[in-house]
Structures are given as C-alpha cells and as structure tokens.
C-alpha cells in the first residue's frame, strides 16, 4: 500500500490528534520532532489513545495509565500487556503528514 494523507503537519511537539484514512481511525502524534501514526485503541480496555497524552517518546492512555513506546509500540508500563502498532510518518513538501498504514488494525 502506498502512503496515505493523514492531515496537515501542524502539531507541536508533544501533541496528538485523531485522524481517519481509508476508513481507518487512528492517532497521529508528533514526538521528539518526528511524526508517527498508531492504533486508536489501547490494548488493555480499548480506550481511545487520542484521549491520552505524549510523554517523551511514549503515549499514555487516559483511562488506566498504560504507557506505550512510540518507537515500536511496546508496553512500557501496565496495565496493558499487548503492544500497539506504530508506524513512522513523514512530512511532504506541502506540509502534509503521510504514512503507510497498511499494518494498522481496522
């Protein structure tokens, strides 16, 4: 699958937002100067990670506090036990965030 447009590259470092592409709801974040896209739902209780916040190179779930790496999706702090899928995103010349989201779960 080729890269899809995930919206404008207007996030400040440490911000995240919900996005929809090709019928898939996901989260776009800017962390430590780079953009990533990841699954919407926390693997613990399926709370929306778009309600959470960025902590360095990780995202914290607002519901029960699980912390996931934005590098590889691994669980850094429970209660979640399963990783989330994270994909690297890039910024185009016209300031749009794009990523290959084919590995993200529907």
């Amino acid at each position: 699958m080729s890269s899809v447009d995930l919206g404008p590259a207007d996030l400040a470092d440490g911000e995240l937002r919900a996005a929809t592409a090709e019928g898939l709801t996901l989260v776009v974040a800017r962390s430590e100067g780079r953009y990533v896209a990841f699954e919407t739902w926390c693997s613990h209780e399926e709370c929306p990670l778009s309600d959470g916040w960025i902590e360095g190179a990780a995202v914290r779930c607002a519901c029960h506090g699980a912390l996931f790496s934005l590098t590889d999706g691994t669980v850094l702090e429970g209660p979640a036990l399963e990783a989330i899928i994270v994909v690297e995103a890039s910024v185009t010349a016209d300031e749009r965030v794009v990523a290959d989201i084919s590995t993200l779960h529907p």
Side-chain angles (χ1 to χ4, degrees), residues 16-98:
L16 55 79
R17 70 164 179 262
T20 303
E22 298 189 359
L24 180 65
T25 301
L26 50 103
V27 182
V28 175
R30 185 172 177 196
S31 168
E32 299 183 341
R34 72 187 201 23
Y35 278 90
V36 294
F38 52 93
E39 296 181 84
T40 296
W41 306 110
C42 177
S43 62
H44 172 239
E45 291 287 336
E46 295 193 6
C47 289
L49 291 172
S50 58
D51 290 347
W53 57 91
I54 302 298
E55 292 185 12
V59 61
R60 172 90 55 193
C61 180
C63 291
H64 301 106
L67 187 69
F68 300 92
S69 166
L70 290 178
T71 302
D72 60 8
T74 57
V75 177
L76 301 175
E77 293 179 19
L81 299 175
E82 295 180 33
I84 60 169
I85 297 174
V86 176
V87 295
E88 192 74 29
S90 58
V91 178
T92 64
D94 60 345
E95 296 296 310
R96 305 290 295 178
V97 178
V98 295

